[in-house]
Amino acid sequence: MKNRRCSHCKEKGLQSDMLLRQLKAFCDQNCFAEWAAANVSKLAKAPKVEQAEISPFDPNEARLFVKAIAGERLEALYLLAIATGLRQAEVLGLSWEDIDFGKSQCTVRKTLQRIDGEFRFVEPKTTRSRRTLALSDIVISSLRERKGKQIGEMLVAGDKWESSDLVFTDSYGRPLSDRVVRARFYRILESVGLRRQRFHDLRHACASLMISQGVPSREVMETLGHSTIAMTLNRYAHIFQEARRETANKMGKVLTG
């Protein structure tokens, strides 16, 4: 005899099936909602950040700038910035122990930043930002002069001197404010008729000058402390292109005599 369900059982079965479908739909909907809440940032496309066009010093402007800072109290600071591409916070964070006069080099170990109104030493931006850079004779000579002048300032200040071992300080040994550095920088530019720039543009000038002199992109990356070679190539693509064009022209002259 076949197993037949009564109308009451069939009704209960239909209700159970409906409840199961509703429960499944509810779970599907809530699971999706939970997933969406956790992954909504992945669904959105970040806006493309347009890099500001850079127009650093050309070689003639760079030489004029170097002449303009000769004898300046912060001559060594500006020379370091344009000759090595150090960031402002990196220059201001240099201690005398970071300068090796014997090997003509400096090591970036920390940066100096003003946080909540106080000067604080902060780790460099990336692992590659911790780097050792060779220094030219003109930079080493300026740093030696800076050390001598700082000793003189310490003697004048006497008990008011605040020892910090920083290379660049005010006349009482205190850390230099970035505002003071920028203000003096703008006055120097104006005094010799150079176009106004950001202090950070000295870093771009360093990169531009290295590339124009045929320095390999890997060496430019290491000097600037970029995290990847792609960052260097992308940031200074147009300058590399100009350098390649100059190389091509030189090769043409070689081949045609």
Side-chain angles (χ1 to χ4, degrees):
M1 183 176 177
K2 294 182 179 180
N3 183 19
R4 294 181 178 176
R5 299 169 66 185
C6 67
S7 60
H8 177 71
C9 291
K10 288 181 179 179
E11 184 179 350
K12 287 293 185 181
L14 290 172
Q15 291 177 350
S16 296
D17 290 343
M18 186 178 296
L19 286 172
L20 286 172
R21 286 195 297 272
Q22 291 175 343
L23 179 61
K24 183 177 183 302
F26 175 81
C27 289
D28 289 344
Q29 182 178 1
N30 280 273
C31 286
F32 174 78
E34 183 178 348
W35 175 88
N39 295 273
V40 65
S41 62
K42 296 180 180 179
L43 296 175
K45 290 185 178 180
K48 184 178 180 180
V49 178
E50 295 291 341
Q51 289 187 336
E53 184 178 349
I54 60 174
S55 180
F57 288 150
D58 60 30
N60 290 330
E61 290 173 322
R63 285 189 286 270
L64 178 57
F65 176 72
V66 170
K67 288 181 180 179
I69 62 177
E72 267 282 323
R73 183 176 181 275
L74 298 180
E75 174 187 350
L77 186 154
Y78 298 121
L79 271 178
L80 270 169
I82 195 170
T84 66
L86 288 178
R87 302 175 179 92
Q88 187 179 49
E90 292 172 338
V91 178
L92 294 178
L94 286 175
S95 297
W96 285 114
E97 65 176 0
D98 300 323
I99 310 297
D100 189 328
F101 287 104
K103 295 182 179 179
S104 295
Q105 64 185 30
C106 72
T107 300
V108 179
R109 297 186 175 91
K110 59 188 179 302
T111 66
L112 182 68
Q113 299 181 27
R114 185 186 288 273
I115 302 175
D116 297 330
E118 297 181 355
F119 287 108
R120 298 182 187 177
F121 289 114
V122 179
E123 286 293 311
K125 289 183 66 175
T126 65
T127 302
R128 287 190 179 277
S129 292
R130 297 177 64 91
R131 60 202 188 278
T132 298
L133 303 173
L135 302 178
S136 62
D137 291 343
I138 185 176
V139 175
I140 284 294
S141 177
S142 185
L143 282 169
R144 289 187 186 280
E145 289 184 15
R146 171 65 197 141
K147 191 171 182 64
K149 289 180 180 179
Q150 191 179 66
I151 292 174
E153 291 172 346
M154 180 175 61
L155 294 175
V156 172
D159 294 340
K160 295 181 180 179
W161 182 262
E162 298 182 16
S163 181
S164 63
D165 195 45
L166 288 172
V167 175
F168 302 107
T169 63
D170 66 10
S171 56
Y172 292 97
R174 296 171 299 200
L176 271 181
S177 165
D178 55 344
R179 292 192 296 272
V180 171
V181 173
R182 287 196 300 271
R184 295 176 75 100
F185 176 60
Y186 296 149
R187 285 200 297 270
I188 293 169
L189 296 182
E190 185 177 0
S191 68
V192 292
L194 284 170
R195 52 199 164 88
R196 184 162 177 144
Q197 297 193 356
R198 302 169 303 166
F199 181 90
H200 192 75
D201 287 323
L202 292 177
R203 176 174 169 83
H204 295 319
C206 172
S208 176
L209 293 171
M210 284 194 292
I211 295 168
S212 67
Q213 294 302 307
V215 176
S217 55
R218 172 66 61 174
E219 184 62 27
V220 177
M221 182 199 80
E222 295 289 349
T223 300
L224 297 180
H226 284 165
S227 57
T228 65
I229 190 68
M231 181 183 295
T232 307
L233 294 174
N234 291 337
R235 192 72 182 98
Y236 302 106
H238 66 290
I239 302 176
F240 277 111
Q241 187 60 38
E242 292 171 6
R244 293 189 191 101
R245 172 53 55 193
E246 187 174 344
T247 299
N249 291 336
K250 288 179 180 178
M251 283 299 296
K253 291 180 180 178
V254 169
L255 295 174
T256 58

